Amino acid sequence: MIPWKMKFYLPYIIPLMKIINFCNRIIEFSFYALFLLVPIVFSGSPSELFEFPKMWLTFGITTIIGASWIAKMILQKRIFIQRTPLDIPLILFLASQIISTIFSLDPHVSLWGYYSRFNGGLLSIISYIFLYYAFVSNLETKHVLKVLKVSLFSGLIVALWGFPSHFGWDPTCYIFRGSFDTSCWTDAFKPTIRIFSTLGQPAWLAAYMSVLIPLSISYFLRNLKSKSESSHENQESRIKNYGSGNFFLASYFLLLTSLFYACLTYTDTRGGFIGFWIANIIFWAILFFKKYLKENFLKYFLLFNLIFIVFNFFSGVPISQLSKFTLPELNKIKSSNPTSTHELPAAGELGGTDSGKIRLLVWRGAIDAWKANPIIGTGVETFAFAYYRYRPVEHNVTSEWDYLYNKAHNEYLNYLATTGAFGLGSYLAIIGLFIFQVFQKTLKTQNDSPLRSSENLKVRSTGSLSIPSILITALFAGWVSILVSNFFGFSVVIINLYFFLIPAFIFILSGILNPQKVLSFPSVSDEPSVPSKTSIIQWILLVALLLTSSLFLQNLFSYWSADLNYANGSSLDKVGSYQEAITPLQNAVNAEPNEPVYKDELSINLGTLASALYLQKDASGAAQLSRDAITISDNVINTHPNNIVYWKNRVRLFYTLAQSGKDNEKNYYGKALSSIIKARELAPNDAKISYNYGVLAGQTMGPKKGIEILEHTIKLKPDYRDAYFALGLFYHEVGDNQKAINTYQYILKNIDLQDKQVQDSLKIWGK
C-alpha cells in the first residue's frame, strides 16, 4: 500500500499509481478465481482427475499473486508484509516442513508431494502460507466479503453437480461419455451410494460442505428483515438490528443451506458428518451466549436444525448408532423376517472390513513410525514409505490388505509420522493460538450487542461501518469443522486453502490487524522516498520478476504436459499396447527428467517389450531394450532407495525379463530376488512381498527355502490363498505329499470350497 504521506506527491506519480492499482486488481481477482475455480476444476486427461488439476491451478494463481505483490513492492521501493497473531507458529511450522524435507526418506516426494495429488508437499505448504500473507497484506474487508460470496457460488455449482448423481444422473459421465448416468465410473466409485461431485472423493466433498453450511446460514440471517427496521430509521440503527430485509435472498440462502446439507448427507461420510455437527453446535452456542440474535435465536435455531434432522430421518445418516432411528432402517427392520436369527451386517462391513477398524490399524502404524523418528519424522508426505516399515500384521487380514496408504487418514498423525513432534507441535500451535485469538479478541463484544461497535470493526482505511459477528462466528465454525474432518481423514487442496485463509478472513473482518505492525523495509516510521519515476534498477528488477514468474508458469505447464503423456502411456501399458506407449512415456521423461514416476513406468514398458523380442528371437533388439530398462531402473532406485513402490516394480521388471528364455532365467531371477529382499527390508510385514519372495526363493534357491518363507507368509496372512497354493506345490516338490494334501484341504475348508485348481491338484495326487 502507498503510505499516506505520498498523497502530497500524487500529481507526480499518477502513471505509477495506475500500475500499482493494476497489480492490486490482479491480486484481488486472482483470489476470487482461486476460491471460484479450485472446487470446480477437474480434468479427464491427467493421471489424477481431481486433486492434480486443483493443485496445479493453485500453484499457477499463487505465482501470479506473488509476481503482482512483489511488483508492487518494487514500484513502491518498500518491502511490506502485514504482521498477524499467527506469525510465530506459521514460521515454526514452515521451518519444520523445510527441515523434514531436507532429511526426508525421499526429498523429491517431500518437495513436490506424493505424485498425482501433490497437496501436502513442501511447495504446497509454501503456497498456502504465502497466500495467507498476500491476502492480509493487500486486501480489505470488502474483498473478504466478495471472496465469501464467490465461495458460496462455487459451492452451489459443486452441489448442483453432485446432487443428481445420487439419483443416477452424473454430469461428469455426460461430459466424458455423453451419457447422463453413472456408467463412466467403476465399482470403486459409486455416486449413487456416496456422491463426490467435482471434489473426487465423498469425504472431501463432505469436508467442503461442512465449511460452507455455517457460512450459508449466516447469510440467511444477514438478509432477514428486522422487525424494527422502518423507512425512517437511520443507517446505524439498521446495522444494529442486523439485516438488509431481502426476503428473496434470505429464501435463497435457506434453500442453499438445505442443498449443501443434502449433499453432505449423500456423501455418507462419518468424518464430515461429525465435523459439521460439531461446527453447528459451536455456531449456535456462540450465537446464544453472545446474544447475537437476541429474541430470534430459538426460532432460527429450530428452523435449521429441524430441517437437518427431518432430512436425516427420511434419508439416513452415516453413523450406525443413529441410523437405526431413520426411516430407511426402520423400513428394513419392518420388511425383514422377525423370526430370523441372523443378524444384519454392521454398518461398514458390507463389501469389506469396517473402515474404522482399518483406520485404527493405520493410526497405530503411524505412531510406530513416529516413535522411530520422533523429532522431524520420516519426511514430508513420505507416509506411503514409512507405513510399510511399521504396518501392523493385523492389516493383512483386512479387505484393504494390499492397498497402498499414502496418508495416515488422520491429518495430525500424518504430520506426526512424517514431520515429527516439531511438525505436529507447530501445526497444533497454529490451531491453538487462532482459537485463543477468536475467543479472546475477535468475539468480544460490548454490552452484548449483536454487532461489534463500528469503531472496533473499522479495517485499515476502508471506511466500512461494521461487520456482523455472526459472519465471523460462521467462518470460525466452518474452520472448526476442518479440524474434526481432518481427524478422521486428511486435507485436500480446497480444505487447506480454507484452513490457512479463514484466519486471514477473520482477522480482517474483526479489525484486529494493526497496520503499524508490519514487516517493512524501510520501516513505516521512515520518510518514504518519492516514486516520481521508475529507476533503471526498478526496471531491471521488474524484468527479472517477469522472467522468473514466467519460468515458474512454464515449468508448471511442462509438468502438466509431461503428466498428460505419462497418463496416456500408462493407460496404454495397462491394456497391453506397450509399443504405442513408448512414445508418450519417453516424451514425459524428456519433459521432466527428474520425475522418477515417469522413468519407473518407462522401465517396466521397455522390459516388457524386451521380453517380447526375446520370444521373437530378436536377441540384439531385446538386449538393447533390456539394457535401457535396467539402466533407467538403476537410476530410479539409486536416487530413491527408500521408495518401496520402485523396488516392487524392479522385481516385476526382472521377473518379466526372466520369463523370456532359458538364457535369461539365472541372471534375471537372481536380480529379481535381490530386489525383493530389499523390498522385504522396507516392508517386513507386507504379505504380498513375502509371498513373492517365497516364490522367487523357491525357484532360485530351492523349494526348501521357498517353504521356509511361505510358512512365514501364511502367519502374516492366514487367509492368503495364493501363499497356501504355492506352499502346497513346494511341499509336493520335496516329496512331503501329506503336508501338500493337508495344505490344499485347508484351502477348501477355510478359504474357498469351490477352488477348482486346488480340487484338480488333489485329484492328481490321489485325494
Side-chain angles (χ1 to χ4, degrees), residues 430-476:
I430 295 172
I431 294 171
L433 185 56
F434 178 60
I435 293 175
F436 174 81
Q437 287 289 327
V438 168
F439 283 102
Q440 288 297 313
K441 295 183 179 181
T442 305
L443 292 178
K444 280 187 176 180
T445 62
Q446 297 178 356
N447 300 321
D448 291 329
S449 171
L451 296 178
R452 295 170 59 88
S453 68
S454 60
E455 179 64 27
N456 289 337
L457 285 169
K458 286 181 180 178
V459 181
R460 295 198 305 268
S461 68
T462 63
S464 69
L465 287 173
S466 63
I467 297 299
S469 291
I470 293 178
L471 187 57
I472 295 173
T473 304
L475 284 169
F476 177 68

Short mmCIF file of all heavy atoms in Angstrom, two decimals, residues 430-476:
data_model
loop_
_atom_site.label_atom_id
_atom_site.label_comp_id
_atom_site.label_asym_id
_atom_site.label_seq_id
_atom_site.Cartn_x
_atom_site.Cartn_y
_atom_site.Cartn_z
N ILE A 430 -0.54 -23.39 15.65
CA ILE A 430 -1.36 -22.54 14.77
C ILE A 430 -2.82 -22.65 15.19
O ILE A 430 -3.52 -21.63 15.35
CB ILE A 430 -1.19 -22.97 13.29
CG1 ILE A 430 0.24 -22.74 12.81
CG2 ILE A 430 -2.17 -22.19 12.40
CD1 ILE A 430 0.52 -23.32 11.43
N ILE A 431 -3.28 -23.88 15.38
CA ILE A 431 -4.68 -24.11 15.75
C ILE A 431 -5.00 -23.50 17.11
O ILE A 431 -5.98 -22.76 17.27
CB ILE A 431 -4.98 -25.62 15.75
CG1 ILE A 431 -4.86 -26.18 14.32
CG2 ILE A 431 -6.37 -25.90 16.32
CD1 ILE A 431 -4.93 -27.69 14.25
N GLY A 432 -4.16 -23.80 18.09
CA GLY A 432 -4.43 -23.32 19.44
C GLY A 432 -4.40 -21.81 19.55
O GLY A 432 -5.28 -21.21 20.20
N LEU A 433 -3.42 -21.17 18.92
CA LEU A 433 -3.32 -19.72 19.01
C LEU A 433 -4.47 -19.04 18.29
O LEU A 433 -4.99 -18.02 18.77
CB LEU A 433 -1.98 -19.25 18.44
CG LEU A 433 -1.67 -17.75 18.57
CD1 LEU A 433 -1.75 -17.31 20.03
CD2 LEU A 433 -0.31 -17.42 18.00
N PHE A 434 -4.90 -19.60 17.17
CA PHE A 434 -6.02 -18.99 16.46
C PHE A 434 -7.31 -19.10 17.27
O PHE A 434 -8.08 -18.14 17.36
CB PHE A 434 -6.20 -19.64 15.09
CG PHE A 434 -7.37 -19.09 14.32
CD1 PHE A 434 -7.44 -17.75 13.99
CD2 PHE A 434 -8.42 -19.91 13.95
CE1 PHE A 434 -8.53 -17.22 13.30
CE2 PHE A 434 -9.51 -19.41 13.26
CZ PHE A 434 -9.56 -18.06 12.94
N ILE A 435 -7.55 -20.26 17.87
CA ILE A 435 -8.74 -20.41 18.71
C ILE A 435 -8.69 -19.41 19.87
O ILE A 435 -9.70 -18.78 20.22
CB ILE A 435 -8.85 -21.86 19.23
CG1 ILE A 435 -9.12 -22.81 18.06
CG2 ILE A 435 -9.95 -21.98 20.28
CD1 ILE A 435 -9.12 -24.28 18.43
N PHE A 436 -7.51 -19.26 20.46
CA PHE A 436 -7.35 -18.28 21.55
C PHE A 436 -7.66 -16.88 21.06
O PHE A 436 -8.36 -16.11 21.74
CB PHE A 436 -5.92 -18.36 22.08
CG PHE A 436 -5.60 -17.31 23.11
CD1 PHE A 436 -5.97 -17.48 24.43
CD2 PHE A 436 -4.92 -16.15 22.75
CE1 PHE A 436 -5.67 -16.50 25.39
CE2 PHE A 436 -4.62 -15.18 23.68
CZ PHE A 436 -5.01 -15.36 25.01
N GLN A 437 -7.17 -16.52 19.88
CA GLN A 437 -7.42 -15.19 19.33
C GLN A 437 -8.91 -14.96 19.09
O GLN A 437 -9.43 -13.88 19.36
CB GLN A 437 -6.64 -15.01 18.01
CG GLN A 437 -5.15 -14.85 18.17
CD GLN A 437 -4.79 -13.50 18.76
OE1 GLN A 437 -5.46 -12.51 18.53
NE2 GLN A 437 -3.71 -13.48 19.54
N VAL A 438 -9.58 -15.99 18.59
CA VAL A 438 -11.01 -15.84 18.29
C VAL A 438 -11.80 -15.55 19.55
O VAL A 438 -12.63 -14.64 19.60
CB VAL A 438 -11.55 -17.11 17.58
CG1 VAL A 438 -13.07 -17.09 17.54
CG2 VAL A 438 -11.00 -17.20 16.17
N PHE A 439 -11.54 -16.31 20.60
CA PHE A 439 -12.34 -16.15 21.82
C PHE A 439 -11.89 -14.99 22.69
O PHE A 439 -12.70 -14.40 23.41
CB PHE A 439 -12.32 -17.45 22.63
CG PHE A 439 -13.22 -18.51 22.08
CD1 PHE A 439 -12.71 -19.55 21.33
CD2 PHE A 439 -14.59 -18.44 22.27
CE1 PHE A 439 -13.54 -20.52 20.80
CE2 PHE A 439 -15.44 -19.41 21.75
CZ PHE A 439 -14.92 -20.45 21.01
N GLN A 440 -10.60 -14.62 22.63
CA GLN A 440 -10.11 -13.55 23.48
C GLN A 440 -10.27 -12.17 22.85
O GLN A 440 -10.38 -11.18 23.56
CB GLN A 440 -8.63 -13.79 23.81
CG GLN A 440 -8.41 -14.93 24.77
CD GLN A 440 -9.04 -14.69 26.13
OE1 GLN A 440 -8.88 -13.62 26.71
NE2 GLN A 440 -9.76 -15.67 26.63
N LYS A 441 -10.28 -12.11 21.52
CA LYS A 441 -10.31 -10.80 20.87
C LYS A 441 -11.45 -10.67 19.86
O LYS A 441 -12.26 -9.75 19.92
CB LYS A 441 -8.97 -10.52 20.18
CG LYS A 441 -7.80 -10.40 21.14
CD LYS A 441 -6.52 -10.07 20.39
CE LYS A 441 -5.34 -9.93 21.35
NZ LYS A 441 -4.09 -9.59 20.65
N THR A 442 -11.54 -11.61 18.95
CA THR A 442 -12.46 -11.46 17.83
C THR A 442 -13.92 -11.47 18.26
O THR A 442 -14.72 -10.68 17.76
CB THR A 442 -12.22 -12.58 16.81
OG1 THR A 442 -10.85 -12.57 16.44
CG2 THR A 442 -13.07 -12.37 15.57
N LEU A 443 -14.31 -12.35 19.18
CA LEU A 443 -15.71 -12.49 19.55
C LEU A 443 -16.10 -11.65 20.76
O LEU A 443 -17.21 -11.77 21.27
CB LEU A 443 -16.03 -13.96 19.82
CG LEU A 443 -15.97 -14.88 18.59
CD1 LEU A 443 -16.24 -16.31 18.98
CD2 LEU A 443 -16.96 -14.43 17.53
N LYS A 444 -15.20 -10.82 21.25
CA LYS A 444 -15.56 -9.94 22.35
C LYS A 444 -16.50 -8.85 21.85
O LYS A 444 -16.28 -8.25 20.81
CB LYS A 444 -14.30 -9.31 22.95
CG LYS A 444 -13.56 -10.23 23.91
CD LYS A 444 -12.45 -9.49 24.60
CE LYS A 444 -11.77 -10.39 25.63
NZ LYS A 444 -10.68 -9.68 26.33
N THR A 445 -17.54 -8.60 22.57
CA THR A 445 -18.49 -7.56 22.20
C THR A 445 -18.72 -6.64 23.38
O THR A 445 -18.36 -6.94 24.51
CB THR A 445 -19.84 -8.17 21.77
OG1 THR A 445 -20.37 -8.89 22.88
CG2 THR A 445 -19.67 -9.08 20.58
N GLN A 446 -19.35 -5.53 23.10
CA GLN A 446 -19.67 -4.58 24.15
C GLN A 446 -21.18 -4.59 24.39
O GLN A 446 -21.96 -4.49 23.46
CB GLN A 446 -19.22 -3.17 23.75
CG GLN A 446 -17.71 -3.06 23.57
CD GLN A 446 -17.30 -1.66 23.14
OE1 GLN A 446 -18.14 -0.82 22.90
NE2 GLN A 446 -16.01 -1.44 23.05
N ASN A 447 -21.56 -4.73 25.67
CA ASN A 447 -22.97 -4.68 26.07
C ASN A 447 -23.82 -5.73 25.37
O ASN A 447 -24.99 -5.53 25.07
CB ASN A 447 -23.56 -3.29 25.79
CG ASN A 447 -22.81 -2.21 26.54
OD1 ASN A 447 -22.41 -2.41 27.69
ND2 ASN A 447 -22.62 -1.07 25.88
N ASP A 448 -23.18 -6.87 25.05
CA ASP A 448 -23.90 -7.97 24.41
C ASP A 448 -24.61 -7.54 23.13
O ASP A 448 -25.66 -8.04 22.77
CB ASP A 448 -24.92 -8.60 25.36
CG ASP A 448 -24.23 -9.35 26.49
OD1 ASP A 448 -23.14 -9.87 26.22
OD2 ASP A 448 -24.79 -9.39 27.59
N SER A 449 -24.06 -6.57 22.44
CA SER A 449 -24.66 -6.11 21.19
C SER A 449 -24.54 -7.19 20.14
O SER A 449 -23.56 -7.92 20.11
CB SER A 449 -23.94 -4.84 20.70
OG SER A 449 -24.37 -4.51 19.41
N PRO A 450 -25.55 -7.33 19.24
CA PRO A 450 -25.45 -8.34 18.21
C PRO A 450 -24.36 -8.04 17.21
O PRO A 450 -24.02 -8.88 16.40
CB PRO A 450 -26.82 -8.31 17.54
CG PRO A 450 -27.35 -6.95 17.83
CD PRO A 450 -26.83 -6.60 19.17
N LEU A 451 -23.82 -6.84 17.23
CA LEU A 451 -22.73 -6.48 16.34
C LEU A 451 -21.62 -5.83 17.15
O LEU A 451 -21.86 -5.22 18.18
CB LEU A 451 -23.18 -5.49 15.27
CG LEU A 451 -24.23 -5.98 14.29
CD1 LEU A 451 -24.58 -4.85 13.35
CD2 LEU A 451 -23.72 -7.16 13.53
N ARG A 452 -20.41 -6.00 16.67
CA ARG A 452 -19.33 -5.24 17.27
C ARG A 452 -19.52 -3.77 16.94
O ARG A 452 -20.14 -3.42 15.95
CB ARG A 452 -17.98 -5.73 16.74
CG ARG A 452 -17.67 -7.16 17.14
CD ARG A 452 -16.45 -7.69 16.40
NE ARG A 452 -15.28 -6.86 16.66
CZ ARG A 452 -14.45 -7.04 17.68
NH1 ARG A 452 -14.69 -8.01 18.54
NH2 ARG A 452 -13.40 -6.26 17.85
N SER A 453 -18.99 -2.92 17.78
CA SER A 453 -19.14 -1.49 17.53
C SER A 453 -18.46 -1.11 16.24
O SER A 453 -17.47 -1.70 15.84
CB SER A 453 -18.53 -0.69 18.68
OG SER A 453 -17.13 -0.85 18.71
N SER A 454 -19.00 -0.09 15.60
CA SER A 454 -18.42 0.32 14.33
C SER A 454 -16.99 0.78 14.49
O SER A 454 -16.17 0.60 13.60
CB SER A 454 -19.27 1.45 13.72
OG SER A 454 -19.30 2.56 14.61
N GLU A 455 -16.65 1.31 15.63
CA GLU A 455 -15.28 1.78 15.84
C GLU A 455 -14.31 0.60 15.85
O GLU A 455 -13.25 0.64 15.25
CB GLU A 455 -15.19 2.54 17.16
CG GLU A 455 -13.78 3.04 17.49
CD GLU A 455 -13.28 4.06 16.49
OE1 GLU A 455 -14.12 4.76 15.88
OE2 GLU A 455 -12.05 4.14 16.30
N ASN A 456 -14.71 -0.48 16.54
CA ASN A 456 -13.84 -1.64 16.65
C ASN A 456 -13.75 -2.41 15.34
O ASN A 456 -12.82 -3.19 15.15
CB ASN A 456 -14.34 -2.59 17.74
CG ASN A 456 -14.14 -2.01 19.12
OD1 ASN A 456 -13.28 -1.15 19.30
ND2 ASN A 456 -14.93 -2.47 20.07
N LEU A 457 -14.72 -2.24 14.47
CA LEU A 457 -14.74 -3.03 13.26
C LEU A 457 -14.22 -2.29 12.03
O LEU A 457 -14.32 -2.79 10.94
CB LEU A 457 -16.17 -3.52 12.98
CG LEU A 457 -16.58 -4.67 13.90
CD1 LEU A 457 -18.06 -4.92 13.77
CD2 LEU A 457 -15.79 -5.90 13.57
N LYS A 458 -13.67 -1.13 12.22
CA LYS A 458 -13.07 -0.46 11.09
C LYS A 458 -11.82 -1.21 10.66
O LYS A 458 -11.05 -1.67 11.49
CB LYS A 458 -12.71 0.98 11.43
CG LYS A 458 -13.95 1.88 11.53
CD LYS A 458 -13.55 3.30 11.84
CE LYS A 458 -14.77 4.20 11.94
NZ LYS A 458 -14.41 5.58 12.28
N VAL A 459 -11.63 -1.33 9.39
CA VAL A 459 -10.48 -2.04 8.87
C VAL A 459 -9.66 -1.08 8.04
O VAL A 459 -10.20 -0.37 7.21
CB VAL A 459 -10.93 -3.25 8.01
CG1 VAL A 459 -9.73 -3.99 7.50
CG2 VAL A 459 -11.81 -4.15 8.84
N ARG A 460 -8.38 -1.09 8.23
CA ARG A 460 -7.43 -0.22 7.57
C ARG A 460 -8.01 0.68 6.49
O ARG A 460 -8.16 0.29 5.35
CB ARG A 460 -6.33 -1.07 6.93
CG ARG A 460 -5.48 -1.82 7.88
CD ARG A 460 -4.22 -2.24 7.17
NE ARG A 460 -4.48 -3.00 5.98
CZ ARG A 460 -4.57 -4.31 5.92
NH1 ARG A 460 -4.48 -5.00 7.01
NH2 ARG A 460 -4.75 -4.92 4.79
N SER A 461 -8.36 1.84 6.81
CA SER A 461 -8.74 2.90 5.87
C SER A 461 -9.83 2.51 4.89
O SER A 461 -9.90 3.03 3.80
CB SER A 461 -7.51 3.39 5.09
OG SER A 461 -7.05 2.40 4.20
N THR A 462 -10.66 1.52 5.23
CA THR A 462 -11.71 1.13 4.30
C THR A 462 -12.94 2.00 4.46
O THR A 462 -13.75 2.12 3.55
CB THR A 462 -12.13 -0.33 4.54
OG1 THR A 462 -12.69 -0.42 5.85
CG2 THR A 462 -10.96 -1.27 4.41
N GLY A 463 -13.09 2.56 5.66
CA GLY A 463 -14.26 3.39 5.90
C GLY A 463 -15.53 2.60 6.12
O GLY A 463 -16.61 3.16 6.24
N SER A 464 -15.45 1.25 6.20
CA SER A 464 -16.67 0.48 6.40
C SER A 464 -17.13 0.64 7.84
O SER A 464 -16.35 0.73 8.75
CB SER A 464 -16.41 -1.00 6.09
OG SER A 464 -15.58 -1.56 7.05
N LEU A 465 -18.46 0.61 8.04
CA LEU A 465 -19.01 0.85 9.37
C LEU A 465 -18.82 -0.35 10.28
O LEU A 465 -18.28 -0.25 11.37
CB LEU A 465 -20.50 1.21 9.25
CG LEU A 465 -20.79 2.59 8.71
CD1 LEU A 465 -22.29 2.75 8.47
CD2 LEU A 465 -20.30 3.65 9.68
N SER A 466 -19.30 -1.53 9.88
CA SER A 466 -19.17 -2.68 10.76
C SER A 466 -19.41 -3.96 9.99
O SER A 466 -19.99 -3.97 8.93
CB SER A 466 -20.16 -2.58 11.90
OG SER A 466 -21.48 -2.59 11.40
N ILE A 467 -18.95 -5.05 10.58
CA ILE A 467 -19.15 -6.38 10.01
C ILE A 467 -19.83 -7.23 11.06
O ILE A 467 -19.40 -7.28 12.20
CB ILE A 467 -17.80 -7.00 9.63
CG1 ILE A 467 -17.12 -6.18 8.55
CG2 ILE A 467 -17.99 -8.43 9.14
CD1 ILE A 467 -17.90 -6.09 7.27
N PRO A 468 -20.90 -7.93 10.73
CA PRO A 468 -21.61 -8.73 11.71
C PRO A 468 -20.72 -9.81 12.33
O PRO A 468 -20.02 -10.53 11.64
CB PRO A 468 -22.75 -9.35 10.90
CG PRO A 468 -22.91 -8.46 9.73
CD PRO A 468 -21.54 -7.95 9.42
N SER A 469 -20.82 -9.94 13.63
CA SER A 469 -20.09 -11.00 14.31
C SER A 469 -20.63 -12.38 13.95
O SER A 469 -19.95 -13.38 14.12
CB SER A 469 -20.18 -10.79 15.82
OG SER A 469 -19.45 -9.65 16.20
N ILE A 470 -21.87 -12.42 13.47
CA ILE A 470 -22.44 -13.71 13.04
C ILE A 470 -21.63 -14.29 11.90
O ILE A 470 -21.38 -15.49 11.84
CB ILE A 470 -23.92 -13.54 12.63
CG1 ILE A 470 -24.75 -13.19 13.86
CG2 ILE A 470 -24.45 -14.80 11.98
CD1 ILE A 470 -26.21 -12.95 13.56
N LEU A 471 -21.18 -13.44 11.01
CA LEU A 471 -20.37 -13.90 9.88
C LEU A 471 -19.03 -14.44 10.37
O LEU A 471 -18.56 -15.48 9.89
CB LEU A 471 -20.16 -12.74 8.90
CG LEU A 471 -19.47 -13.07 7.57
CD1 LEU A 471 -20.24 -14.14 6.81
CD2 LEU A 471 -19.34 -11.81 6.73
N ILE A 472 -18.44 -13.76 11.31
CA ILE A 472 -17.17 -14.22 11.88
C ILE A 472 -17.39 -15.56 12.59
O ILE A 472 -16.57 -16.49 12.47
CB ILE A 472 -16.61 -13.17 12.85
CG1 ILE A 472 -16.25 -11.89 12.09
CG2 ILE A 472 -15.40 -13.70 13.59
CD1 ILE A 472 -15.85 -10.74 12.97
N THR A 473 -18.48 -15.67 13.32
CA THR A 473 -18.80 -16.92 14.00
C THR A 473 -18.97 -18.06 13.01
O THR A 473 -18.50 -19.19 13.25
CB THR A 473 -20.09 -16.76 14.82
OG1 THR A 473 -19.94 -15.67 15.73
CG2 THR A 473 -20.42 -18.02 15.59
N ALA A 474 -19.62 -17.80 11.90
CA ALA A 474 -19.82 -18.83 10.87
C ALA A 474 -18.49 -19.28 10.29
O ALA A 474 -18.27 -20.48 10.07
CB ALA A 474 -20.73 -18.30 9.77
N LEU A 475 -17.61 -18.33 10.02
CA LEU A 475 -16.30 -18.69 9.48
C LEU A 475 -15.53 -19.55 10.48
O LEU A 475 -14.89 -20.54 10.10
CB LEU A 475 -15.51 -17.42 9.15
CG LEU A 475 -15.92 -16.69 7.88
CD1 LEU A 475 -15.25 -15.32 7.81
CD2 LEU A 475 -15.55 -17.52 6.65
N PHE A 476 -15.59 -19.16 11.74
CA PHE A 476 -14.88 -19.94 12.75
C PHE A 476 -15.47 -21.34 12.88
O PHE A 476 -14.73 -22.33 12.99
CB PHE A 476 -14.94 -19.21 14.10
CG PHE A 476 -14.30 -19.99 15.23
CD1 PHE A 476 -12.94 -20.19 15.25
CD2 PHE A 476 -15.08 -20.52 16.25
CE1 PHE A 476 -12.34 -20.91 16.27
CE2 PHE A 476 -14.50 -21.23 17.27
CZ PHE A 476 -13.12 -21.43 17.29
#
